Amino acid sequence: TPDAGILASDNAVLRCEGLDTVCELLLNGRPVGNADNMHRTWEYEVSDILLPGENTREVHIASPLKVIRTADAREALAGTRDAMRGFPHIRKAHCMYGWDWGPRLPDAGIWRGISLIGFGSARITDMRIRQKHVDGCVFVKVTVLPESNAGLQVTMTDPDGHTLLLQPGEWTPVTDPQLWWPNGLGAQPLYTVRATVNNGLAVVEAVVKRIGLRTLTVAREKDEWGESFAQSVNGVHFFAMGADYIPMDNILSRVTPERTRRLLEQCVAANYNTVRVWGGGYYPDDFFYDICDELGLVVWQDFMFACAAYRLTPEFDASIRAEFSDNIRRIRHHACLGLWCGNNEVEWFHDLGFAKEDPRSRADYTKIFEYILPKILKEEDPDTLYWPSSPSSGGCFDKPNDPNRGDAHYWEVWHGVKPFTDYRNHYFRYVSEFGFQSFPSMKTVESFTLPEDRNIFSRVMETHQRNSGANGLILLYLSRTFRYPGKLDDLIYLSQILQAEAIRYGVEHWRRNRGRCMGALYWQLNDCWPVASWSSLDYFGRWKALHYAAKRFFAPVMISCQETGETTGRVAVTDEPAPFETKARLCVTNETREAVSGTVCWQLRDASSAVIESGSAPLTVPPLSSVWLDERDFSGIDFLRDHVSYSFDVGGAAVSGGSALFTAPKHYLFEDPCLNGVRQGSKIIVTAECYAKWVEIIPDGDAVFSDNFFDMEKGCTEIEILEGDFQSFRLRSVYQTASD
Ligand code: BMA
């Protein structure tokens, strides 16, 4: 039922922000239009059809399976086999047709709001906000379309509530600008820009957008290794730390602002400064970007194309152009927007020859991602970097995954079965994907299994593992690292430790080599259903070991150890039996804008925790840099019994620390740490009688702790309960998981 205002307006439009996907709309039985792209907004003029009182709206949606099957029968397009054949034909989130972590559930429906809008000549069709930073001064220019709007007023309110009047279309200086920074580098002050049209009696149109004053781009400079790729905020190059984000739910309407905020807050809790919105899903809702603005999470934004070849028919061309403009206009003003990226792995897909059955596809690729899209962006958002693909070296199929230029996806650990230590052979300029799978926690497994299904090779559990061969890969890496576990629960725990260790190896190495490498985004942050996957937070938001590890290896000030030992020399004990060295080199990385002074402490200890040798040294780490300490030679130690523990202490307390073995954990002669834990208010005090590795506190409900899956020496450790709904808990470490 339209209100009187709408009926009295000159124009009435039905605005549909999410139609999924191929459909026809009817109002009062009369056709008003069609739609075929879920990623864009559709508007239909309905003034002639609208009636006073009740109106009937119908949306007839075609089967998303029939649509792709018919199109693919006409012309087959190459695409990843993890999704249903034909998925590149339709502008619908690819992963709805399945992915190597998602089910094949291409549902359909109205997935975002539909509204009826009435307006006269005063409608604001677009508001664009640009900013210029010159010698510490910030200028803002707001352009409102159509420019002919009479009675237009534009204001900007600063974070303290002071309002400034802006002249539309003019550059206006901002006094005392408060700059926006990513998480870990500074605060996130936000300004509100408001455009209103007053017809003399009342405000008839209002558009409000929130911005942050900052420059945000990617620095690409020629250097001794090739060409850098470093995110840069307000002129400061920073190391990007975070992960790749996929749709949060297979049922799209379940994604709420509350769930999104919760997910993104967990990113901040793990010290992220960046998230990459991966191109096989959909463009997130406005609230996603609002929350990223507030939390200081820089967004690497892919356009929605992934792992496929596309055919640029005239209809497809028109459809994606509209999709690009809609989404660029919707997202471009956000403080968090770090860069636009054409697609996920499509340039690489062609370069690897995966589109070979499709000779036109290279030409179509070039036209879409190196002509149409950059041209639209030049018009609509020239201030944000456009990067043609991920990974890419800048386009033209010129070695898209070159380690010395642009961003890289590195999958030799995991898909290529290389050992974790292989990360250290690669420096990359910015790693936008690398990952390792694990099983979700036992509680999550229980949510989709019956007791008789609780075996990773059961039919139900295999259905919740979408990457063929992945269970075998987990077991292979397990065999290289741990002793054979006795129970599913321990297997899950060890799979999570493997995952955390894999990613830690990579990130610590790249942060140690900060400057050459300037970003590490692991695959992947989250899940869209309960599944075995590369995520660090499972579908229910439960922290896997990797998320706790991320909190440590993404800590703004982090100490890490580059050890040399049996595992860096050979994968299996039967490999080349030449003697290997036992050495360790510590490094402290500071990703803040202030220098940090403290003390580096290390101890060589045996399995009982007894100190064999130790040392400490004061160290000042300049802002945004890594400082290596001298390498220490531990030759002659008992590498099966001895390990190194280390910490960086500031003001008497360790801000970062860890321990390193010189052999695989399965061969280290762990002793029983006799773990004991006591709850004291909001804390759990854990005591160990000797060295304990990857200590897990396992509550009987859900909880988030200040740390978990941590290493400790003989003594006690205080762990904070940050969130918790549990009665009791138990403890385990790797010592307890070996079966007889
Ligand atoms: C990358 C991603 C995804 C995939 C992941 C794991 O290529 O872009 O397509 O889920 O690898 O295989």
Side-chain angles (χ1 to χ4, degrees), residues 394-505:
C396 305
F397 307 103
D398 176 17
K399 290 203 198 131
N401 210 19
D402 190 335
N404 300 313
R405 292 175 296 160
D407 67 320
H409 290 191
Y410 178 75
W411 283 104
E412 287 302 309
V413 173
W414 185 257
H415 291 303
V417 200
K418 294 252 171 81
F420 300 165
T421 50
D422 192 60
Y423 286 124
R424 294 188 184 165
N425 298 327
H426 304 276
Y427 293 85
F428 304 119
R429 309 317 306 265
Y430 187 117
V431 204
S432 41
E433 276 189 22
F434 62 109
F436 194 95
Q437 269 208 8
S438 70
F439 297 108
S441 74
M442 197 63 192
K443 285 188 202 78
T444 298
V445 168
E446 283 165 2
S447 75
F448 64 84
T449 53
L450 294 170
E452 59 271 29
D453 304 320
R454 291 182 193 144
N455 180 297
I456 61 163
F457 301 137
S458 73
R459 197 174 177 85
V460 170
M461 288 213 42
E462 282 193 345
T463 308
H464 289 252
Q465 164 58 278
R466 311 301 300 183
N467 182 206
S468 61
N471 284 343
L473 277 180
I474 293 174
L475 292 184
L476 174 77
Y477 280 97
L478 181 93
S479 76
R480 289 179 185 166
T481 316
F482 295 118
R483 296 173 67 144
Y484 192 73
K487 302 185 300 239
L488 174 64
D489 188 32
D490 287 338
L491 174 62
I492 290 172
Y493 161 82
L494 293 178
S495 79
Q496 292 196 10
I497 302 291
L498 281 173
Q499 180 190 32
E501 282 292 284
I503 306 308
R504 180 183 70 81
Y505 258 85

Side-chain angles (χ1 to χ4, degrees), residues 269-561:
N271 293 313
Y272 286 29
N273 58 31
T274 302
V275 287
R276 169 170 170 247
V277 175
W278 168 77
Y282 62 85
Y283 305 90
D285 297 271
D286 294 339
F287 56 73
F288 175 91
Y289 302 98
D290 286 336
I291 300 166
C292 290
D293 289 343
E294 290 164 20
L295 298 178
L297 291 168
V298 174
V299 174
W300 169 314
Q301 180 66 49
D302 282 3
F303 285 87
M304 294 301 136
F305 302 86
C307 307
Y310 299 87
R311 174 63 66 244
L312 192 61
T313 60
E315 299 75 42
F316 195 83
D317 187 323
S319 179
I320 58 173
R321 280 175 197 262
E323 169 190 328
F324 296 156
S325 296
D326 280 356
N327 287 288
I328 295 164
R329 288 181 173 204
R330 185 167 72 83
I331 300 167
R332 66 183 169 194
H333 63 280
H334 282 278
C336 63
L337 180 63
L339 69 152
W340 297 107
C341 171
N343 60 72
N344 174 69
E345 294 185 352
V346 182
E347 189 186 6
W348 198 25
F349 187 86
H350 286 77
D351 192 58
L352 293 171
F354 293 165
K356 59 180 177 296
E357 64 256 53
D358 189 1
R360 261 181 57 196
S361 68
R362 271 190 187 231
D364 284 353
Y365 175 89
T366 305
K367 197 158 174 210
I368 299 171
F369 299 106
E370 299 187 10
Y371 176 70
I372 297 173
L373 188 45
K375 195 165 164 235
I376 293 177
L377 277 166
K378 205 168 166 200
E379 280 286 305
E380 301 279 3
D381 187 18
D383 303 323
T384 307
L385 177 96
Y386 171 64
W387 189 239
S389 184
S390 181
S392 184
S393 297
C396 305
F397 307 103
D398 176 17
K399 290 203 198 131
N401 210 19
D402 190 335
N404 300 313
R405 292 175 296 160
D407 67 320
H409 290 191
Y410 178 75
W411 283 104
E412 287 302 309
V413 173
W414 185 257
H415 291 303
V417 200
K418 294 252 171 81
F420 300 165
T421 50
D422 192 60
Y423 286 124
R424 294 188 184 165
N425 298 327
H426 304 276
Y427 293 85
F428 304 119
R429 309 317 306 265
Y430 187 117
V431 204
S432 41
E433 276 189 22
F434 62 109
F436 194 95
Q437 269 208 8
S438 70
F439 297 108
S441 74
M442 197 63 192
K443 285 188 202 78
T444 298
V445 168
E446 283 165 2
S447 75
F448 64 84
T449 53
L450 294 170
E452 59 271 29
D453 304 320
R454 291 182 193 144
N455 180 297
I456 61 163
F457 301 137
S458 73
R459 197 174 177 85
V460 170
M461 288 213 42
E462 282 193 345
T463 308
H464 289 252
Q465 164 58 278
R466 311 301 300 183
N467 182 206
S468 61
N471 284 343
L473 277 180
I474 293 174
L475 292 184
L476 174 77
Y477 280 97
L478 181 93
S479 76
R480 289 179 185 166
T481 316
F482 295 118
R483 296 173 67 144
Y484 192 73
K487 302 185 300 239
L488 174 64
D489 188 32
D490 287 338
L491 174 62
I492 290 172
Y493 161 82
L494 293 178
S495 79
Q496 292 196 10
I497 302 291
L498 281 173
Q499 180 190 32
E501 282 292 284
I503 306 308
R504 180 183 70 81
Y505 258 85
V507 174
E508 288 185 352
H509 162 69
W510 291 313
R511 287 193 66 187
R512 284 194 289 266
N513 291 283
R514 185 194 191 286
R516 182 164 178 183
C517 183
M518 283 303 278
L521 308 183
Y522 64 80
W523 184 267
Q524 69 202 62
L525 167 63
N526 57 318
D527 282 330
C528 61
W529 72 316
V531 67
S533 84
W534 298 265
S535 72
S536 62
L537 293 174
D538 76 18
Y539 176 68
F540 298 108
R542 298 191 172 118
W543 289 41
K544 292 178 170 180
L546 173 57
H547 212 72
Y548 284 104
K551 182 176 178 178
R552 294 189 292 264
F553 60 61
F554 285 153
V557 176
M558 177 200 60
I559 186 167
S560 66
C561 174

